[in-house]
Amino acid sequence: MSRMPVPQVRPIEWRSGVLRILDQTLLPGDERYIETADWREVASAIRRLAVRGAPLIGVTAAYALALASRSSDDIAVAADELAATRPTAVNLRWALDRVRDVSGGDAIRAEAEAVCIHDEQIASDARCGELGAALIGQGATILTHCNAGSLATGGIGSALGVVKTAHWQGKRINVLVDETRPLLQGSRLTAWELAREGISHEVIVDSAAAGLIAHARVQAIVVGADRIAANGDTANKVGTYGLALAAQAHGVPLYVVAPVSTIDTNVAHGSEIEIEERDGDEVTSFASIRTAPDGTIARNPAFDVTPAALITAIVTERGVLRRPFGAAIASVTEPAAVAR
Ligand code: MRU
């Protein structure tokens, strides 16, 4: 493997017992940090999306449990409260279980395990970036949805890690960034990251994507994941399924990029994945300004599930998985694969 790329953006930092969190709700306008040693404040930051993205939620929750281990609070209660903040991202429960099991509540061991999870995520992004960049052609226009970058993982990003690596390799690429309603993770966060890297990009409204795909303006779609079932069905930011349908109709490859910790082999099919329903106010207003009449009721599922049949490949740090995904996923999640 070549030298590990250094993430330009640090959405969280552990500074001897204090967690420093970049408040993503204020980006791109304001770069402000929350500094806390209180795990409950971290839980609140996760709930209101100040820190977000499945892998980064896992890393952040691991540090939060390390903070809880330093306090007199019950670790099991803290773990349950943290796990309930975002129900779809499986990395959250995975990281909490790992810190609790390894540390047994000991604060020093909890901190060491959280740091280890963070380091592993950075390494996973770098490896996924290398593997995924090989799938991107010279001159490609790549469409991405939501933010699966440094702001979502703590490393170079999963889907955006692939984009960045292709760019660093000298591939001339352009990125179409779905704005990503209702909270605009695409236009606020992904465009911010790509601008810092000097990568050519254009923001589009979500509803423009299908037309651009149909008119051969997109060579690949690259997205992250919040949870991948044992059969490859993938939950990701709402709107991913629609992109996948358009991609299949027009022969455009759809690549999911995610660490193995996003795979949940306890879930056989995507239909079993709990989809987070968020407050309807996120749909009917923006930045405290109402965008629908008073009293309007909104549905606000934060994620949808893309069936495995619509996914071309799943890029993980242990390899690029192809259909049939059931066998491929088992090959990277079974204990023998973990030991390799
Ligand atoms: O609600 P968010 O902003 O946490 O949703 C994030 C996504 O859907 C990402 O695509 C996913 O977590 C993967 S991030 C590497």
Side-chain angles (χ1 to χ4, degrees):
M1 200 195 297
S2 52
R3 191 172 58 83
M4 183 106 74
V6 180
Q8 286 274 311
V9 180
R10 284 172 194 258
I12 60 168
E13 267 183 274
W14 178 255
R15 293 184 171 179
S16 43
V18 172
L19 191 60
R20 190 168 188 262
I21 300 171
L22 174 60
D23 186 343
Q24 297 189 30
T25 63
L26 304 176
L27 290 174
D30 208 354
E31 265 176 66
R32 217 181 299 160
Y33 290 82
I34 301 158
E35 292 197 353
T36 183
D38 178 355
W39 67 267
R40 284 195 178 81
E41 199 177 344
V42 181
S44 156
I46 296 173
R47 206 176 291 114
R48 66 184 187 83
L49 270 56
V51 56
R52 45 148 298 282
L56 188 63
I57 292 170
V59 175
T60 306
Y63 284 122
L65 206 57
L67 291 175
S69 307
R70 290 172 162 235
S71 72
S72 52
D73 292 333
D74 185 317
I75 300 305
V77 170
D80 285 347
E81 199 171 309
L82 285 159
T85 52
R86 305 276 326 257
T88 304
V90 73
N91 304 63
L92 178 57
R93 186 82 253 183
W94 169 84
L96 290 166
D97 287 350
R98 191 169 142 179
V99 171
R100 204 196 40 209
D101 292 351
V102 170
S103 72
D106 176 77
I108 299 199
R109 273 184 287 167
E111 173 178 341
E113 196 58 21
V115 170
C116 183
I117 289 172
H118 197 173
D119 288 346
E120 283 177 15
Q121 184 55 47
I122 292 170
S124 165
D125 281 5
R127 184 71 185 133
C128 287
E130 282 186 358
L131 293 171
L135 305 169
I136 304 297
Q138 179 62 264
T141 292
I142 303 162
L143 190 145
T144 191
H145 191 64
C146 195
N147 172 269
S150 297
L151 292 169
T153 67
I156 59 170
S158 57
L160 277 198
V162 167
V163 168
K164 290 173 189 175
T165 307
H167 170 75
W168 295 330
Q169 289 173 348
K171 287 182 180 159
R172 207 172 14 82
I173 52 170
N174 183 45
V175 185
L176 293 179
V177 179
D178 267 1
E179 170 182 57
T180 316
R181 282 276 295 148
L183 296 179
L184 306 185
Q185 287 94 330
S187 56
R188 290 190 307 106
L189 308 178
T190 297
W192 184 79
E193 273 196 58
L194 291 173
R196 286 172 78 113
E197 292 288 343
I199 299 175
S200 162
H201 62 283
E202 298 162 291
V203 172
I204 59 171
V205 295
D206 301 336
S207 41
L212 289 164
I213 292 167
H215 289 95
R217 303 285 161 79
V218 175
Q219 280 71 53
I221 299 173
V222 185
V223 294
D226 280 79
R227 193 186 300 218
I228 301 173
N231 72 342
D233 292 350
T234 295
N236 191 48
K237 179 54 59 193
V238 69
T240 305
Y241 178 39
L243 287 177
L245 288 169
Q248 193 194 46
H250 299 285
V252 173
L254 171 76
Y255 301 118
V256 171
V257 188
V260 170
S261 54
T262 299
I263 300 173
D264 185 357
T265 51
N266 294 318
V267 157
H269 301 104
S271 58
E272 295 167 29
I273 298 175
E274 183 181 352
I275 300 296
E276 178 183 359
E277 289 274 347
R278 293 187 63 85
D279 199 320
D281 281 357
E282 291 180 351
V283 177
T284 53
S285 60
F286 190 76
S288 305
I289 297 170
R290 284 202 67 83
T291 54
D294 282 347
T296 302
I297 295 168
R299 279 293 295 274
N300 190 14
F303 303 98
D304 58 24
V305 174
T306 298
L310 300 182
I311 298 170
T312 309
I314 301 174
V315 179
T316 75
E317 71 276 27
R318 295 199 188 128
V320 177
L321 315 183
R322 304 265 181 186
R323 287 195 294 265
F325 288 118
I329 283 175
S331 76
V332 295
T333 52
E334 280 169 358
V338 179
R340 277 203 284 274

